[in-house]
Amino acid sequence: MTRRPHGPHLPEERPESTAPLPPPELTEAECRRCGTYIAGLDGRYACGVCGWVNDHSEGHRRLPREDEDPDRPPKGRRRPKQLPWPPPQPAPEPPGGPREGPPYPC
């Protein structure tokens, strides 16, 4: 039988943050690759024309921690199950095309 670790081996739990996050600042710049005028949040940009993205560390302030994220799902909630890829294909139509009339015999 294997014992579960406890005490100092468990990860520390952070207290829940009660202070609201400040709203993000809308910033504007030119794309470094193609020169398109782009907007971003807190100095983080992504160009929709050429696909250039600046590094997250170039932002004006730190990114929020997981426990500071207001959109974080509640504790204990699991991620939704991923669908199999590729998606299932519809069944082929019977030879002769679709039937005319009611879908079920009366």
Side-chain angles (χ1 to χ4, degrees):
M1 183 166 122
T2 306
R3 291 185 159 189
R4 287 185 173 179
H6 59 284
H9 302 289
L10 293 177
E12 291 183 27
E13 293 211 16
R14 295 181 186 168
E16 291 294 321
S17 177
T18 57
L21 291 172
E25 178 188 350
L26 183 62
T27 54
E28 299 167 340
E30 283 188 12
C31 173
R32 293 181 197 161
R33 186 183 296 164
C34 69
T36 302
Y37 190 69
I38 55 177
L41 295 176
D42 294 328
R44 293 178 177 92
Y45 304 104
C47 179
V49 176
C50 69
W52 171 82
V53 178
N54 72 332
D55 190 64
H56 74 279
S57 64
E58 295 178 32
H60 298 164
R61 59 181 163 177
R62 71 171 181 81
L63 292 171
R65 294 187 320 250
E66 180 183 19
D67 60 340
E68 295 173 328
D69 184 2
D71 298 325
R72 179 180 174 209
K75 282 189 175 183
R77 185 170 171 200
R78 293 184 177 178
R79 284 186 168 185
K81 197 172 192 180
Q82 296 293 319
L83 296 175
W85 195 256
Q89 299 296 321
E93 296 216 6
R99 287 182 26 195
E100 295 293 326
Y104 300 103
C106 298

